[in-house]
């Protein structure tokens, strides 16, 4: 392949792509392959993974539980930022890749490897997320991306290769979805979903019930926060991983957390994906609601302006960059009073805010009331409106001088000549 590789660390999931990459690397680079799988909460997908990697040619397989780090150092900062890509995507795959790639580099250094590899296609976003992280932590490592090198051009080709090499896989030509699962979400792409007119099939969903299957009675959930970080469910304090697991379960039972999205990939094309993010959907709704209670108007509005930029950075794989760190510093400063509890009602796919409270609440009943009070003098509003509306008033006066009715069609400026 044009370069000598002695040892490579492969980001390994045991799925179709990475399963066939192990023998392909050995055949084409004559190198030692070490597999690395990060346990980010994908559950039963990890069963037998080490044995499978060794059986298909890996000399060693690391399987490491990184769930705590994932939740506390990647999910919570993104949640606190309010970052949602294109208004819908809660970034479940996006912020998982930098963590995996960072640890992959560390293992490469421990093992004395001279290369790292991934199973991302040349059309997707993940190749960028992996490789920007490789560059951030060890730009001297060689990067092997088989999808940019081999003759395999489709998932059907990949399945045929696996069958030829007797590699056990779960994908078939009938069941050909590409999935990515972790404790935050599961994504579904490919197959019949590639036609955006096709509705997702009910059997495809893993984490969420359909609204039709959900309970006929609503479920009430209270989520407690401390400085922007979720700490409790229904008054019970929990550690990060447990809290997310509990919320995933209750939201999924109530059909909350599905999103069917056509998104703009970093490489320039549109793609269609179906995402299940049950617990995350509750957390975003609750966190945003608590911020409306405790943040003043200017901070809240400015933070809302920055959130899409933060989401774009995460989506594009620019996690380990000075800009993301600078945005984190700003976000962290806004969260010192984001402490309190939000009550949610879950019912057949709906997540409804029904209560919020905080010791730092800026809401004051004596100001908001329509009853009698002596804190706010309503007569002051007259002067405020006169000053606030002065530019509008001046424009209207000018239009009247021109003989036009204010606020309607554009005047014909050609009729007016300068003296």
């Amino acid at each position: 392949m044009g370069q000598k590789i002695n040892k490579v660390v492969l980001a390994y999931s045991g799925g179709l792509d990475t399963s066939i990459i192990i023998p392909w690397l050995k055949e084409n680079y004559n190198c030692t392959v070490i597999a690395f799988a990060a346990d980010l909460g994908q559950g039963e997908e990890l069963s037998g993974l080490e044995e499978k990697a060794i059986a298909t040619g890996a000399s060693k397989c690391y399987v490491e539980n990184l769930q705590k780090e994932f939740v506390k150092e990647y999910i919570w900062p993104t949640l606190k930022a309010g970052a949602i890509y294109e208004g819908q995507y809660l970034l479940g795959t996006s912020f998982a890749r930098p963590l995996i790639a960072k640890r992959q580099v560390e293992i490469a250094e421990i093992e004395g490897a001279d290369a790292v590899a991934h199973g991302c296609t040349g059309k997707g976003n993940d190749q960028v997320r992996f490789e920007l992280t490789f560059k951030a932590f060890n730009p001297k490592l060689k990067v092997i991306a088989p999808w940019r090198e081999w003759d395999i051009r489709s998932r059907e080709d990949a399945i045929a290769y696996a069958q030829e090499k007797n590699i056990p896989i779960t994908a078939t030509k009938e069941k050909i979805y590409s999935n990515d699962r972790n404790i935050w979400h599961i994504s579904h792409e490919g197959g019949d979903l590639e036609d955006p007119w096709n509705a997702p099939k009910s059997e495809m969903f893993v984490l969420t019930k359909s609204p039709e299957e959900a309970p006929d009675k609503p479920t009430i959930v209270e989520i407690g926060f401390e400085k922007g970080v979720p700490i409790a469910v229904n008054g019970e304090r929990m550690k990060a991983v447990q809290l997310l697991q509990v919320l995933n379960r209750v939201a999924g039972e109530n059909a909350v957390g599905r999103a069917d999205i056509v998104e703009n990939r970093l490489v320039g094309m549109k793609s269609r994906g179906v995402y299940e993010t049950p617990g995350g959907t509750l957390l975003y709704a609750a966190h945003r609601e608590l911020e409306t209670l405790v943040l003043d108007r200017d901070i809240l509005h400015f933070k809302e302006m920055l959130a899409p930029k933060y989401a774009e950075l995460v989506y594009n794989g620019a996690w380990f960059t000075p800009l993301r760190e600078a945005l984190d510093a700003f976000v962290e400063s806004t969260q010192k009073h984001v402490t309190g509890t939000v009550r949610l009602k879950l019912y057949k796919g709906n997540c409804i805010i029904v209560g919020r409270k905080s010791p730092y609440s800026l809401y004051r009943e004596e100001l908001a009331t329509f009853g009698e009070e002596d804190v706010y003098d309503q007569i002051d509003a007259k002067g405020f409106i006169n000053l606030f509306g002065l530019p509008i008033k001046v424009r209207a006066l000018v239009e009247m001088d021109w003989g036009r009715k204010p606020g309607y069609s554009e005047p014909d400026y050609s009729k007016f000549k300068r003296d």
Side-chain angles (χ1 to χ4, degrees), residues 1 67 100 205 280 361:
M1 289 292 174
Q67 291 183 61
I100 297 169
F205 293 97
S361 173

Side-chain angles (χ1 to χ4, degrees), residues 93-392:
T93 297
S94 306
F95 49 36
R97 297 311 189 226
L99 170 57
I100 297 169
K102 173 175 171 284
R103 184 57 183 154
Q104 189 179 353
V105 169
E106 292 169 351
I107 291 172
E109 292 171 346
I110 291 169
E111 291 287 342
D114 50 351
V116 285
H118 61 73
C120 312
T121 72
K123 292 182 178 181
N125 304 301
D126 279 346
Q127 58 180 336
V128 182
R129 296 163 183 157
F130 271 100
E131 294 183 33
L132 290 187
T133 304
F134 296 156
K135 293 179 186 298
F137 287 96
N138 190 340
K140 294 183 179 180
L141 286 170
K142 299 181 181 70
V143 177
I144 303 174
W147 272 100
R148 302 201 296 255
E149 298 181 21
W150 60 20
D151 294 330
I152 295 171
R153 288 292 173 263
S154 67
R155 291 182 65 78
E156 288 83 358
D157 289 349
I159 290 170
Y161 183 91
Q163 293 170 342
E164 178 189 337
K165 301 294 181 182
N166 295 315
I167 300 170
I169 55 173
T170 57
T172 66
K173 292 181 180 179
E174 290 73 37
K175 183 184 176 184
I176 203 166
Y177 296 121
S178 175
N179 304 110
D180 177 71
R181 181 176 178 179
N182 57 48
I183 193 173
W184 185 246
H185 89 156
I186 185 169
S187 64
H188 311 274
E189 294 180 321
D192 58 309
L193 294 178
E194 290 182 349
D195 182 346
W197 183 249
N198 289 336
K201 295 178 179 177
S202 59
E203 62 268 21
M204 181 190 73
F205 293 97
V206 176
L207 303 179
T208 56
K209 287 185 175 181
S210 69
E212 294 83 358
E213 298 171 325
D216 293 329
K217 292 183 178 180
T219 299
I220 302 298
V221 181
E222 293 185 359
I223 303 176
F225 292 83
E226 194 171 274
K227 294 184 177 180
V229 175
I231 59 161
V233 177
N234 294 332
E236 180 183 351
R237 291 185 70 96
M238 298 179 183
K239 293 184 178 180
V241 172
Q242 180 194 6
L243 181 143
L244 190 48
Q245 289 170 336
V246 168
L247 291 180
N248 279 335
R249 187 162 54 252
V250 68
E253 283 291 319
N254 286 276
V256 173
R258 294 183 179 183
D260 186 340
I261 304 169
V262 175
E263 68 197 59
N264 289 292
R265 285 181 176 174
L266 173 60
V267 295
M269 69 183 70
K270 290 185 182 291
S271 67
R272 191 269 189 98
V274 176
Y275 301 93
E276 299 177 76
T277 318
T281 300
L282 305 189
L283 287 170
Y284 264 82
H287 182 268
R288 173 67 176 80
E289 193 63 25
L290 189 57
E291 286 190 326
T292 67
L293 197 64
V294 303
L295 298 185
D296 70 51
R297 180 185 62 192
D298 289 342
I299 290 179
L300 183 66
H301 290 182
F302 191 73
K303 185 171 179 290
E304 287 175 335
M305 291 169 55
L306 291 182
K309 182 61 180 179
Y310 195 107
E312 187 178 83
L313 286 173
V314 177
Y315 187 85
N316 291 346
W319 185 271
F320 297 107
T321 58
L323 178 54
R324 203 271 307 168
E325 293 171 1
L327 291 178
D328 264 354
F330 166 76
V331 169
E332 199 62 33
S333 72
T334 70
Q335 299 297 293
K336 58 185 177 182
H337 291 153
V338 184
T339 295
T341 303
V342 177
R343 186 189 302 125
L344 307 170
K345 180 166 69 174
L346 314 182
Y347 184 65
K348 293 188 176 295
N350 295 291
C351 174
I352 305 162
I353 306 291
V354 293
R356 71 289 280 162
K357 63 180 179 179
S358 169
Y360 301 106
S361 173
L362 299 180
Y363 179 89
R364 288 293 179 264
E365 188 175 350
E366 65 270 22
L367 289 174
T369 180
F370 286 97
E372 184 177 351
E373 43 78 25
D374 58 6
V375 178
Y376 181 91
D377 189 345
Q378 297 194 29
I379 200 169
D380 291 342
K382 179 180 179 181
F384 162 74
I385 294 170
N386 285 338
L387 292 176
F388 189 67
L390 185 58
I392 298 173

Side-chain angles (χ1 to χ4, degrees), residues 392-411:
I392 298 173
K393 178 180 178 180
V394 170
R395 177 175 175 175
L397 289 171
V398 170
E399 289 178 339
M400 292 173 70
D401 288 343
W402 286 340
R404 308 292 294 184
K405 190 172 180 61
Y408 283 81
S409 59
E410 192 74 17

